[in-house]
Amino acid sequence: MSSSTTHPAPAAPRSRRRLLFGVLAAFLLLLAAGVAGLYWVDYDLRHPKPDSGRPGAWMTVDRDEVSGFAHVTVPVSAEDVRWGYQNGFQDDFVVLAFRIPQDELEGYKSSLPASEWADKRYVQQVDLDGFQHIGAPAPSTTSPLTCGGFYTPGKAKNIGTRVCVASRSDGTSQVWVSAVHTP
């Protein structure tokens, strides 16, 4: 009889080991799910859906609203007009791109309140990202590139507008406009 009572004893450590492995596996599974959940939340914060109204979301607005925000008029003769409006956490951002006949370029530049026009090679990354978003040609690949800027008083904040222009081989001039609220 004593031998029958000794056999069940070795089974107990094995069941504890299985329980420990089960708890450990459940913990690791929950940990992995938590990390995946945090990644999903972080990705959603970094890439908000269009028209969500969240910071960084590209909103559907009409061309007149974008040109009004930037205080830039799109000429009647403009072709391939593209625009975008990005809702910001504190500062909204707009981009506008179009082509005009080359003989209208100087008149268009003089209609803008830009104080100085200068040749540039560098265009801010936020502008490049915005122009890429709307499918406009990249200003960084164009040479010579002439840029000017101006500030316009706004309701709560001023609007800083940058305009870059370049002649194209097809007899038109490309115009890129970006504007943002400034403190």
Side-chain angles (χ1 to χ4, degrees), residues 48-90:
K49 292 179 175 38
D51 289 327
S52 67
R54 296 188 51 212
W58 287 93
M59 306 299 289
T60 302
V61 298
D62 63 17
R63 178 176 92 178
D64 294 335
E65 188 173 346
V66 170
S67 65
F69 181 97
H71 297 280
V72 171
T73 303
V74 177
V76 176
S77 61
E79 300 175 354
D80 192 25
V81 182
R82 299 168 185 257
W83 63 92
Y85 186 104
Q86 188 176 38
N87 189 34
F89 177 68
Q90 293 180 347

Side-chain angles (χ1 to χ4, degrees), residues 10 15 55 58 106 111 149 178:
S15 64
W58 287 93
E106 289 305 316
S111 73
S178 63

